[in-house]
Amino acid sequence: MQFSKDINGLRAIAVVAVVLFHFSVPGLQGGFVGVDVFFVISGYLMTGIVIGRMGSGTFSVWTFYADRARRIVPALVVLCLALLAIGWFLLLPSDYKKLGKQVGGSLGFVSNILFWREAGYFDAVSHRKWLLHTWSLSVEWQFYLLYPLLLVALQRLIGQPRIRWALTALALCSLALSIAQSGRAPSASFYLLPTRTWEMLLGALVFLFPLQQGPRARLAMEAAGLALVGGSVVFLNPGDVWPGSLAILPTAGTALVIWSMRQASPLFDNRATQLLGRASYSIYLWHWPVVVGLTQLSELAPLPRTLAGIALSVLIGCLSFRFVETPTRHLGREPRHDNPRRFVHAPRALLAGLVVVAVSCGAVVWSTDGAPWRFAAAVRLADGEALNSNPYGRGCFSTFGAPSPPCVMGGDRKTSRAEMIGDSHAASVVTALAEAIPGHDGGVRFHGYASCPTLRGATYGPSENLCGEFNRDALSALGHEAPFTLPLVITNNWTSYLEQARIRFATREGNDGATEPFSRERYREELLATLCGLARSRRVYVTEPFPEFAVDVPRAVAYRLMRDPASADLTIDIDEHRRRNAFVLAVMQEAQTSCGVRLLDPTPYLCPGGRCMASLHGRPLYSDGHHLSEYGNRFLVPMFRQVYDDAPAAR
């Protein structure tokens, strides 16, 4: 297709929005919509290419694939090789292993599926994923693979004039699926092609339904479109359901700007905007690794880090555009005699070879667990603590979907001496509760569900989290079914639920399916009611909050040991811990006073001398910032022995 300044200007707006969003520039919390702008542009351009060549009788699916590969792969493979090389010297084994896997997923264009199966795009842990942003490239590539085949099939079945109506119907189906799934399965809706297809098909429809308007109408369309895109960048935020109905705003705005076809727009027709637009792909590729690198490996203050990161992203992106994208865009094509310098004579095998090398290196890094021999034993021990978690696996603990049945942990796994219910904090210490059983005679019957506060009538997070169902069944069984002789221990990440305020409670009238929003007072009431309700029929113990840290403890300790093998252990002041958890601790004290709930205080064991330990002699006590590892939870065995004082015989 002919070069278009307005589309190139839209690329510039999109990449600037994404970059500023990822560097946390205030007031631009909706900058993630830049990816949606890119999707609409891609759909428009790909439709123009395919339909144009089909109309002239020159279309070839393989040529189309080769063109897309020349556009996307060279800069991506250079990025992957550069990160693998840099990572050899700077990344811990755990991080390096993940990078190796991400390289394979990115160059195989399945990284969207890889990241869908992990944490969400906006989660804090995303800043440890060097190639997280390649999910959008995978979505586009999957679209490129299927779309021309669809158009060829539609042309043969219904004829080219009717293609636009078929694509309209398909776009509406994809949009309806996106709206429906974004609330029920937000991660899948965000990352996967079926719920993103409508955005690219919207671009296709802009091409297939051209508008003929006068200058004033085009100016109005451009202004309205820019207002929709700009308003989305400013007023939307990562907490919005995405991509649901709200995604219509920036995509419709993009469509209006393209429809306006104002090549001489002052916003777009200038050297700076056009340069950013041309280099947008490379800037997009490099900006996220710069974000991750500066976040993980530098100690710059936020403002200098942001300024340096933006400048570095643009600089490296422009260099990549000049020395990688531009020379390889026509790689493997026959040179034109009237302009031989436009093409490069390097064979396609060179590009394929680089891809094979990068994927092979990534596979070796992954299969060797991140080449741990690069570092001293103390560093490897600290880094490895991230994997030292509950050995019983997910068969006894649900992270989403249908709750797992309770199972016995510890001992012979047949007899129970206690029961525990809770979220991932409970899963992180249940083996310590089992270890505290006198004579190791029996185990602990465990009821667990991730990100699920143990509160009656409470739901938490997206609909794929069946916390409400788990609480209903588990609390009913614990309150009304034998054996009541077993002590019950309740462990939750209590304060995080208070801070995130994402809990919804059943209505007081008990209306089926109806919920009420979070409030601190309702949280207090339900916590008291839940604890006291269970305490009527059995001995109930509640663990007070564990100390938490603002960093990923194993990684922080390991990186400190890399720089200084004699570095001091990580700690926080116990008063800081108590201040953060003051509200929850007060409610627990109220439950102890009013209904005899017994409290288990971890601070005598984790905070000696008034300092709460994240590590001891260089070994982390946590597997991340707030989950105790199997090493760290053993410090709580003396605390859990209280549970078995005067306990009846095993059942």
Side-chain angles (χ1 to χ4, degrees):
M1 290 185 69
Q2 185 177 2
F3 179 80
S4 175
K5 289 183 178 180
D6 57 339
I7 291 177
N8 199 49
L10 275 173
R11 287 196 186 106
I13 290 175
V15 77
V16 167
V18 172
V19 170
L20 297 183
F21 165 70
H22 281 148
F23 279 103
S24 302
V25 174
L28 303 176
Q29 65 274 8
F32 58 88
V33 306
V35 172
D36 304 84
V37 173
F38 279 127
F39 284 161
V40 177
I41 293 172
S42 291
Y44 175 82
L45 294 176
M46 295 310 103
T47 304
I49 291 170
V50 176
I51 294 295
R53 292 178 184 176
M54 286 170 60
S56 64
T58 60
F59 178 70
S60 163
V61 170
W62 296 112
T63 300
F64 176 83
Y65 291 160
D67 288 345
R68 293 301 90 212
R70 277 190 292 268
R71 176 72 176 90
I72 294 175
V73 173
L76 177 60
V77 74
V78 168
L79 169 68
C80 290
L81 288 170
L83 291 179
L84 286 171
I86 295 169
W88 177 268
F89 300 99
L90 298 179
L91 294 187
L92 294 167
S94 60
D95 288 337
Y96 202 40
K97 178 180 180 178
K98 293 172 184 174
L99 175 61
K101 184 178 181 181
Q102 292 166 25
V103 165
S106 299
L107 291 172
F109 295 103
V110 292
S111 61
N112 60 324
I113 299 173
L114 172 68
F115 295 124
W116 161 54
R117 297 169 66 90
E118 299 176 358
Y121 180 75
F122 300 112
D123 293 342
V125 75
S126 65
H127 281 79
R128 293 176 54 184
K129 300 175 183 178
W130 291 82
L131 291 169
L132 175 63
H133 62 316
T134 63
W135 74 269
S136 64
L137 303 183
S138 295
V139 169
E140 288 200 36
W141 185 259
Q142 292 158 17
F143 179 77
Y144 296 158
L145 288 178
L146 298 174
Y147 188 53
L149 301 178
L150 173 65
L151 292 181
V152 170
L154 289 175
Q155 184 184 42
R156 292 177 180 176
L157 291 173
I158 62 177
Q160 188 164 319
R162 296 186 180 92
I163 285 178
R164 60 183 184 175
W165 300 111
L167 295 184
T168 300
L170 183 59
L172 291 173
C173 290
S174 174
L175 174 59
L177 178 65
S178 176
I179 293 172
Q181 287 293 98
S182 292
R184 291 198 296 261
S187 293
S189 184
F190 186 92
Y191 282 115
L192 301 185
L193 177 63
T195 46
R196 291 288 190 170
T197 298
W198 70 271
E199 297 181 288
M200 287 168 276
L201 290 181
L202 176 58
L205 297 178
V206 172
F207 179 84
L208 295 171
F209 290 91
L211 297 180
Q212 300 297 327
Q213 302 291 339
R216 290 185 178 179
R218 291 204 306 272
L219 177 60
M221 290 173 64
E222 181 190 61
L226 291 174
L228 285 172
V229 174
S232 299
V233 170
V234 173
F235 295 110
L236 296 179
N237 65 77
D240 293 323
V241 174
W242 200 266
S245 56
L246 287 174
I248 295 173
L249 299 176
T251 53
T254 306
L256 287 172
V257 173
I258 299 175
W259 255 322
S260 71
M261 300 183 67
R262 292 195 71 242
Q263 298 293 314
S265 170
L267 179 62
F268 296 149
D269 191 13
N270 61 80
R271 292 184 63 183
T273 300
Q274 291 301 306
L275 175 60
L276 286 173
R278 287 189 175 93
S280 60
Y281 173 57
S282 281
I283 294 173
Y284 179 81
L285 275 184
W286 279 96
H287 89 281
W288 181 251
V290 171
V291 171
V292 175
L294 290 178
T295 301
Q296 289 194 30
L297 305 176
S298 80
E299 297 182 356
L300 292 174
L303 180 58
R305 184 171 63 207
T306 295
L307 295 176
I310 293 172
L312 196 58
S313 299
V314 174
L315 174 62
I316 301 177
C318 288
L319 291 174
S320 172
F321 170 71
R322 171 66 179 84
F323 295 106
V324 180
E325 275 195 77
T326 301
T328 60
R329 186 162 296 181
H330 306 284
L331 187 69
R333 286 183 175 177
E334 292 297 323
R336 266 181 19 195
H337 296 296
D338 61 335
N339 190 7
R341 299 176 66 181
R342 183 178 174 185
F343 299 95
V344 176
H345 297 278
R348 297 173 184 171
L350 174 61
L351 178 58
L354 288 175
V355 173
V356 171
V357 168
V359 172
S360 299
C361 289
V364 169
V365 168
W366 181 81
S367 63
T368 59
D369 293 326
W373 59 83
R374 295 172 296 136
F375 299 104
V379 175
R380 298 199 302 269
L381 178 65
D383 183 48
E385 202 64 33
L387 302 177
N388 188 17
S389 56
N390 190 316
Y392 291 93
R394 293 186 176 180
C396 297
F397 182 67
S398 299
T399 55
F400 65 92
S404 299
C407 60
V408 178
M409 299 185 185
D412 57 10
R413 303 188 67 178
K414 295 180 181 179
T415 57
S416 301
R417 294 291 301 275
E419 291 191 89
M420 175 178 272
I421 184 172
D423 56 12
S424 58
H425 274 210
S428 74
V429 297
V430 61
T431 56
L433 179 61
E435 181 69 19
I437 296 173
H440 301 103
D441 180 22
V444 176
R445 192 165 186 258
F446 180 67
H447 313 254
Y449 200 103
S451 299
C452 183
T454 306
L455 299 171
R456 66 178 191 179
T459 60
Y460 183 78
S463 56
E464 60 191 345
N465 183 329
L466 300 183
C467 174
E469 178 182 323
F470 170 78
N471 276 330
R472 183 191 65 227
D473 295 342
L475 292 176
S476 176
L478 291 170
H480 299 96
E481 298 176 9
F484 298 125
T485 54
L486 295 182
L488 173 65
V489 180
I490 305 175
T491 302
N492 273 217
N493 190 5
W494 302 106
T495 298
S496 73
Y497 300 121
L498 182 72
E499 293 172 340
Q500 295 179 25
R502 294 171 61 191
I503 299 174
R504 296 191 68 87
F505 297 102
T507 61
R508 298 184 188 276
E509 296 78 17
N511 298 330
D512 290 341
T515 59
E516 295 179 355
F518 177 86
S519 71
R520 291 170 70 91
E521 181 56 28
R522 184 70 188 275
Y523 183 70
R524 171 188 163 277
E525 291 176 7
E526 296 300 339
L527 180 53
L528 284 173
T530 301
L531 299 181
C532 292
L534 291 169
R536 293 192 190 101
S537 58
R538 63 196 311 161
R539 289 185 299 131
V540 172
Y541 294 82
V542 180
T543 54
E544 295 181 5
F546 305 136
E548 298 186 25
F549 297 83
V551 296
D552 185 288
V553 173
R555 298 177 67 259
V557 172
Y559 277 119
R560 284 161 64 104
L561 291 172
M562 282 173 56
R563 294 190 293 266
D564 178 11
S567 61
D569 283 312
L570 278 176
T571 63
I572 60 171
D573 191 276
I574 192 173
D575 291 335
E576 178 183 341
H577 162 68
R578 287 172 174 161
R579 281 193 298 271
R580 177 172 181 259
N581 295 283
F583 182 88
V584 166
L585 289 171
V587 178
M588 291 180 175
Q589 290 288 341
E590 190 175 352
Q592 182 182 48
T593 302
S594 60
C595 51
V597 170
R598 297 165 171 85
L599 303 184
L600 299 172
D601 181 5
T603 57
Y605 313 96
L606 298 177
C607 306
R611 301 293 300 180
C612 298
M613 303 180 295
S615 62
L616 181 64
H617 306 310
R619 182 168 184 179
L621 276 64
Y622 291 76
S623 60
D624 53 24
H626 55 100
H627 293 96
L628 287 162
S629 68
E630 288 297 292
Y631 168 70
N633 74 27
R634 291 309 189 265
F635 286 77
L636 299 183
V637 170
M639 178 188 79
F640 283 127
R641 287 200 179 109
Q642 303 171 53
V643 174
Y644 304 103
D645 292 345
D646 301 321
R651 293 288 299 269

